[in-house]
Amino acid sequence: MQDLLKKFENKKPEITFEWSDSETEAEGWVVINSLRGGAAGGGTRMRKGLDKREVESLAKTMEVKFTVSGPAIGGAKSGINFDPNDPRKDQVLDRWYKAVMPLLKSYYGTGGDLNVDEIHEVIPITESYGLWHPQEGVVNGHYHATEPQKIRKIGQLRQGVSKVLEDPTFTPNGPKKYTVADMITGYGVAEAVRHYYKIWGGKLEGKRAIIQGWGNVGAAAACFLAVEGVKIVGIIDREGGLIREGGFSLDEIRSLFVKRAGNKLVADELIPFEEINSRIWDLESEIFVPAAASRLVTQEQAERLVKAGLEVISCGANVPFADSEIFFGPIGAWTDTQVSVIPDFIANCGMARVFAYLMSEQAEVTDQAIFADVSKTIEKALKKVKKENPEKIKLAESSFKIALAQLV
């Protein structure tokens, strides 16, 4: 597996597009790892300090993810090094999408990612430059769709991704309306945990969980886990967190979801970051959902979680361990030998799978059909892993072996 991984990690990406903004200090990259199947896909992220290497590693992660979610295309990613809180963000995104438009028309499909919103930013801006949908490049490059097929596939994408959820099963309730894009990745992360206990054995109800990050992925995963009877005992976010050893009720978790300020945890009794960071890793819990930024979980934190009784990690963030290696460094590898690690490309494949499903011939644009398809895709991937490795450790290693056999 390590040889396959090295080979895949060290292969130079097919296309790297570099951009410097004419009016601000922003700089950006599109990295297309390969045009496998004639196209490549991956979202657009923005953060201060982002560099080309991060975009490259995320493009490779996307390629691995497509072996699970489909379609059989190459991995790509867009990254912009700019402060997302800067008031000039909208203009920067506007100039960025104008510059990458030829790629998006031909063979590259994108979407939202860290600090870039699919529904409110990506779709309106790309639409203003004549793109029917941010996945149009995949429809053209991979499916070689005829005009009627293209109209149908893009129609399904336009309707499905921004579909307002009507089924209360899939929303935290409250006055706000939520879309498929808001909830689906967190749903998949929670479903990965549910399927894990179903496939490898064990009762999910009553298990305790720690959530890292309270954006769409972490907060939604917490809601869906709480519905299954999981007790959320700790939440750690950028500026602070919460601990409740007996677990928060489902209503409390839903209320914390609804009260978020953007992607930020908002609560009266917020514990300051330094204090929560010193305490949370020793909380007794069986489930850990890292769903904040990439490369945050340290060796010490992993060791403390394992010591406190951890059983399974469902990776909501891409590459959550603080390793410098693209996929699988010493922290990730060590943790994989101690507990069940469901890797990001299975656990958080929800949005990628929605795109693939909505581009397929048999897609039904209903809440139930879209969510059931994501759940089935994750279950199928985990059953393949169980067949390769019935043990409760080295799940991530086995998952990589299955994926890389298709790519290298």
Side-chain angles (χ1 to χ4, degrees), residues 9-56:
E9 284 188 358
N10 294 333
K11 187 183 164 283
K12 222 174 159 226
E14 270 184 45
I15 299 165
T16 302
F17 172 96
E18 202 155 326
W19 172 78
S20 294
D21 188 23
S22 56
E23 295 181 37
T24 69
E25 65 280 15
E27 51 181 350
W29 302 267
V30 178
V31 175
I32 291 174
N33 191 54
S34 83
L35 285 172
R36 173 182 177 238
T44 305
R45 67 169 43 193
M46 179 187 280
R47 75 173 185 84
K48 198 172 169 55
L50 178 137
D51 61 13
K52 185 165 78 174
R53 183 179 154 73
E54 181 177 332
V55 185
E56 228 171 77

Side-chain angles (χ1 to χ4, degrees), residues 169-170 180 182-195 216-225 228 314 347-348 350 354 367-368 370-376 378:
T169 316
F170 304 117
V180 168
D182 289 327
M183 303 303 293
I184 199 75
T185 307
Y187 170 77
V189 171
E191 282 295 279
V193 175
R194 188 173 72 82
H195 289 307
N216 273 354
V217 180
C223 285
F224 289 114
L225 287 171
E228 296 295 330
S314 185
N348 76 12
V354 170
D367 298 353
Q368 291 83 351
I370 292 167
F371 280 74
D373 174 76
V374 165
S375 178
K376 268 195 294 240
I378 290 168

Side-chain angles (χ1 to χ4, degrees), residues 39-43 76 103-104 107-111 134-138:
L103 281 67
L104 290 167
Y107 49 70
Y108 169 44
T110 195
Q135 291 292 311
E136 191 177 329
V138 177

Side-chain angles (χ1 to χ4, degrees), residues 17 19-26 46 80 82 86-102 125 128-129:
F17 172 96
W19 172 78
S20 294
D21 188 23
S22 56
E23 295 181 37
T24 69
E25 65 280 15
M46 179 187 280
I80 303 166
F82 190 68
D86 190 300
R88 300 169 295 170
K89 178 191 180 186
D90 289 352
Q91 291 102 325
V92 167
L93 280 175
D94 192 273
R95 289 188 292 275
W96 164 260
Y97 282 119
K98 189 179 183 183
V100 299
M101 198 46 62
I125 298 171
S128 75
Y129 286 113

Side-chain angles (χ1 to χ4, degrees), residues 15 111 310 341:
I15 299 165
L310 190 67
V341 178

Side-chain angles (χ1 to χ4, degrees), residues 50-77:
L50 178 137
D51 61 13
K52 185 165 78 174
R53 183 179 154 73
E54 181 177 332
V55 185
E56 228 171 77
S57 75
L58 289 164
K60 288 184 185 290
T61 303
M62 284 308 302
E63 190 140 328
V64 175
K65 189 176 286 187
F66 287 127
T67 66
V68 172
S69 71
I73 59 173
K77 206 74 179 179

Side-chain angles (χ1 to χ4, degrees), residues 246-299:
F248 291 94
S249 70
L250 173 58
D251 284 345
E252 286 172 318
I253 290 297
R254 282 176 163 166
S255 164
L256 288 168
F257 183 107
V258 172
K259 283 198 316 206
R260 290 177 309 156
N263 279 341
K264 212 166 72 175
L265 176 65
V266 174
D268 297 336
E269 65 279 28
L270 206 67
I271 300 165
F273 182 81
E274 283 68 27
E275 188 188 334
I276 191 93
N277 196 38
S278 70
R279 290 172 57 194
I280 199 163
W281 312 107
D282 303 311
L283 276 184
E284 288 184 9
S285 66
E286 292 77 29
I287 299 160
F288 174 48
V289 174
S294 303
R295 305 184 191 280
L296 289 180
V297 182
T298 65
Q299 178 74 31

Side-chain angles (χ1 to χ4, degrees), residues 301-346:
Q301 289 164 353
E303 285 172 11
R304 287 162 68 184
L305 286 166
V306 168
K307 202 174 158 194
L310 190 67
E311 293 175 354
V312 61
I313 296 177
S314 185
C315 297
N318 286 324
V319 201
F321 299 102
D323 289 314
S324 59
E325 287 77 2
I326 289 180
F327 291 114
F328 210 51
I331 303 169
W334 179 85
T335 311
D336 197 37
T337 64
Q338 303 297 311
V339 296
S340 300
V341 178
I342 304 170
D344 48 24
F345 59 90
I346 295 177

